[in-house]
Amino acid sequence: PMQTLRERMAAKPSLCARAEGKTQRRVGELVHALQRRGVASKEELKAQWRRDPAYLMREATLWMKRGHEHFLERAWPRVVANALGEENAERDSSSARQMTDQGARSG
């Protein structure tokens, strides 16, 4: 989902790592939201998303070009699911079901 959103972003995520990023509102909002919940790692972020899938969506919309926020809002559930690995789990279970079904038909 992030590939389709990149062209609609007002700034590159790498801005967070650069010195000039510190003065950008979108960077500050994102960093403060992470700090408020004590998120300092990918695993902590995943734990927050398991409890609150909408966590960081408001801050992430600040990264979108004006008028393109709705693209992120629509894609957000897929973004979070992808980060949590749920899409892979669904795909893996679907593939396993298909293999089981094929085996049952051939046997």
Side-chain angles (χ1 to χ4, degrees):
M2 288 306 290
Q3 283 295 85
T4 59
L5 296 173
R6 280 201 177 108
E7 64 196 34
R8 294 179 168 92
M9 294 181 78
K12 292 182 179 183
S14 61
L15 179 64
C16 291
R18 297 198 313 255
E20 62 269 24
K22 293 179 182 181
T23 62
Q24 296 287 317
R25 176 177 172 237
R26 62 179 58 99
V27 174
E29 293 282 333
L30 180 61
V31 170
H32 285 106
L34 293 166
Q35 288 175 336
R36 277 192 301 273
R37 294 201 189 176
V39 175
S41 70
K42 187 176 182 179
E43 288 308 312
E44 290 169 348
L45 177 58
K46 287 180 178 184
Q48 287 296 322
W49 273 335
R50 284 185 197 101
R51 285 191 288 272
D52 178 9
Y55 175 60
L56 296 181
M57 186 172 68
R58 184 186 68 77
E59 291 80 8
T61 59
L62 297 173
W63 289 79
M64 303 305 290
K65 291 177 183 173
R66 194 163 297 193
H68 291 252
E69 298 86 352
H70 66 281
F71 288 102
L72 176 66
E73 291 165 0
R74 258 196 321 225
W76 192 255
R78 289 190 320 270
V79 170
V80 172
N82 189 23
L84 294 176
E86 292 173 5
E87 288 181 345
N88 292 336
E90 287 176 25
R91 193 179 319 117
D92 292 347
S93 69
S94 176
S95 295
R97 265 195 313 277
Q98 287 175 349
M99 289 172 55
T100 303
D101 291 346
Q102 288 172 351
R105 277 183 255 151
S106 65

